[in-house]
Amino acid sequence: MLATRGLATKAVMSCARSVSHVTIIGGGLMGSGITQVAAQTGHKVTLVDLDQNILDQSTARISKSLARVAKKKFGDDAAGAQAFMENTMSAITTATDACSVVKDTDLVIEAIVENMGVKHKLFKELDSVAPESVIFTSNTSSLSIAEIAEVTSRKDRFGGLHFFNPVPVMKLLEVVKTNETSPETLSALATFGKKLGKVTVECSDTPGFIVNRLLVPNLAEAIKMLERGVASAKDIDTAMKLGAGHPMGPLQLADYVGLDTCLFILQGWSTKYPDVELFKVPETLEKLVSEGKLGNKSGEGFYKY
């Protein structure tokens, strides 16, 4: 066991110096955003989704986003902008079978549905075919990295890469380590993040990592304050914007994030940690989601849009 791990660690150390091929699984907003930033920073990228229609939509979304980046970066230099777009798009390939492409990759980034059973099924399959040197990561925002990794034989080569939406715009990348993530793996992930142009922060595998662990309970407390009749939604948001220097108040931010997303995270945490008061789900949040009022994306949440 120790000898096997030693060989794997040497492979990771080699991979850490030059992650060149990245496989991203999940063609949604996060997956396509990660694909874009990886491709435009010189990486070969394979984007995987079971649905070819989703892959087609993802590549169209990436092309449209790149056009905006090119316009900002190159201005009136049409030739430079065209070359940038062509070079970036040529670095991206798509596939519908993850197992067939991980045999020739350095790093896997999973960005699929936030369901532990689905993630376990995926990583168990990938672990059986991927070379030992391949590092596995998840972009989960609320699930335990260690729990996701437990079905694999490469727990020392497993970590979290938590990007923020929209990925091409948001500078932060949380690099998450479990108790078994090796220093070599952590270094490889941090180096990769910096090459993407992100500001990386390292953290342990705790619910919500850094940002969501602080943010989501704050949003929940603002909702509970509204429920208690302490102040109106508008006044709570105004107070935090002008008194704490926040660019957006907590209830407005909850609408922006998506009330269904906030509810999903809190429900997961409160189920796993029932004695933590901060994780209790506000009744108002449950009610709004049950009525289809999800925030910005549905046109109504705490505010109307």
Side-chain angles (χ1 to χ4, degrees):
M1 181 69 178
L2 290 175
T4 300
R5 176 166 177 167
L7 289 171
T9 299
K10 288 179 181 178
V12 170
M13 289 177 72
S14 175
C15 179
R17 290 192 290 269
S18 58
V19 171
S20 59
H21 185 184
V22 186
T23 296
I24 296 159
I25 303 176
L29 285 174
M30 295 304 294
S32 59
I34 299 167
T35 297
Q36 178 184 326
V37 296
Q40 69 185 47
T41 50
H43 299 87
K44 178 184 176 184
V45 187
T46 302
L47 177 61
V48 181
D49 198 283
L50 293 173
D51 190 332
Q52 184 61 49
N53 289 330
I54 290 178
L55 289 172
D56 293 341
Q57 292 169 16
S58 297
T59 52
R61 186 185 305 120
I62 292 168
S63 181
K64 186 175 180 180
S65 177
L66 279 173
R68 292 193 295 267
V69 173
K71 184 175 182 180
K72 183 176 180 181
K73 185 174 182 179
F74 293 94
D76 295 330
D77 181 4
Q82 184 66 24
F84 168 77
M85 288 191 62
E86 289 177 356
N87 289 339
T88 302
M89 292 303 295
S90 67
I92 301 170
T93 57
T94 62
T96 55
D97 179 17
C99 289
S100 67
V101 296
V102 295
K103 297 174 184 178
D104 182 32
T105 195
D106 301 316
L107 174 66
V108 171
I109 304 174
E110 169 268 310
I112 63 174
V113 63
E114 290 282 69
N115 180 290
M116 188 63 75
V118 177
K119 292 182 190 293
H120 274 174
K121 183 177 184 295
L122 171 68
F123 278 115
K124 190 173 183 179
E125 292 174 354
L126 296 182
D127 191 50
S128 67
V129 295
E132 285 190 347
S133 61
V134 180
I135 300 174
F136 286 177
T137 66
S138 175
N139 180 57
T140 182
S141 61
S142 61
L143 299 179
S144 165
I145 298 296
E147 190 175 344
I148 297 172
E150 69 182 13
V151 297
T152 75
S153 61
R154 64 186 76 213
K155 298 178 183 63
D156 58 324
R157 286 151 283 149
F158 206 116
L161 285 176
H162 183 219
F163 294 82
F164 293 80
N165 189 39
V167 179
V169 176
M170 299 294 279
K171 296 290 290 183
L172 184 66
L173 174 61
E174 291 178 323
V175 181
V176 186
K177 60 182 178 181
T178 72
N179 290 335
E180 297 188 68
T181 305
S182 71
E184 294 82 11
T185 297
L186 188 65
S187 175
L189 296 180
T191 299
F192 171 71
K194 290 180 175 66
K195 189 174 179 183
L196 296 183
K198 300 300 183 185
V199 176
T200 62
V201 293
E202 297 178 8
C203 62
S204 298
D205 184 23
T206 190
F209 315 132
I210 298 174
V211 174
N212 284 338
R213 178 63 180 83
L214 293 172
L215 176 62
V216 176
N218 173 261
L219 303 183
E221 184 55 33
I223 298 170
K224 293 170 187 175
M225 183 176 283
L226 180 66
E227 289 177 341
R228 294 194 298 269
V230 173
S232 68
K234 181 180 178 182
D235 285 349
I236 290 170
D237 282 349
T238 298
M240 291 307 293
K241 285 189 285 187
L242 300 184
H246 292 186
M248 191 181 293
L251 298 173
Q252 184 186 0
L253 181 56
D255 276 353
Y256 178 79
V257 170
L259 301 187
D260 54 337
T261 301
C262 296
L263 178 62
F264 175 84
I265 292 171
L266 284 169
Q267 285 177 331
W269 291 354
S270 61
T271 299
K272 194 167 185 178
Y273 306 98
D275 296 328
V276 179
E277 186 63 32
L278 282 173
F279 296 165
K280 299 293 184 186
V281 180
E283 292 181 7
T284 300
L285 181 60
E286 291 180 314
K287 182 175 183 294
L288 287 170
V289 172
S290 71
E291 294 172 349
K293 298 174 181 177
L294 310 180
N296 294 48
K297 58 187 171 185
S298 69
E300 184 176 357
F302 290 102
Y303 299 94
K304 291 185 177 181
Y305 300 91

